[in-house]
C-alpha cells in the first residue's frame, strides 16, 4: 500500500513574481474615481423609444401570450381532425 502523504497548501509568504500586479491604486483606477459616480436615475434611463415602451417583463409577458395563443390554435386545428365533435 502507498504511504499516506501530508496535504500542503502553497506558501503565501513567498515573494510574488508578478510585479505588474499592483497592490495600490493604478493610474486607471485613480482616473475612474476622479470621474465620480453616476446617479441612480441616470443609469436606468432607457435610450430608444421602443425600449421606453416595453420593459423586460412586458416583453416576456407578450412572448408568453403569443405562445399560448399559438398553442390554443394548434389544439383547435388538431381537434377538427380528431373526430370527437
Amino acid at each position: 500500500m502507498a504511504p499516506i502523504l501530508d496535504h500542503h497548501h502553497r506558501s503565501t509568504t513567498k515573494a510574488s513574481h508578478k510585479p505588474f500586479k499592483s497592490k495600490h491604486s493604478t493610474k486607471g483606477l485613480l482616473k475612474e474615481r476622479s470621474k465620480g459616480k453616476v446617479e441612480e436615475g441616470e443609469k436606468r434611463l432607457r435610450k430608444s423609444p421602443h425600449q421606453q415602451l416595453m420593459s423586460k417583463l412586458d416583453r416576456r409577458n407578450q412572448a408568453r401570450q403569443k405562445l399560448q395563443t399559438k398553442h390554443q390554435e394548434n389544439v383547435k386545428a388538431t381537434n377538427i381532425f380528431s373526430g370527437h365533435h
Side-chain angles (χ1 to χ4, degrees), residues 22-68:
S22 175
K23 294 189 180 182
H24 302 286
S25 296
T26 59
K27 186 168 63 173
L29 186 61
L30 291 172
K31 189 187 240 183
E32 286 291 321
R33 283 186 190 161
S34 70
K35 289 180 184 178
K37 285 191 175 181
V38 177
E39 291 297 321
E40 287 288 323
E42 292 179 31
K43 270 193 227 176
R44 296 183 182 164
L45 287 178
R46 295 190 176 128
K47 305 293 183 227
S48 71
H50 181 69
Q51 286 177 331
Q52 289 174 353
L53 292 175
M54 293 181 69
S55 70
K56 182 178 181 180
L57 293 173
D58 292 336
R59 289 193 303 272
R60 190 175 288 172
N61 186 39
Q62 188 180 37
R64 186 178 52 80
Q65 287 175 344
K66 282 181 184 177
L67 278 174
Q68 285 177 343

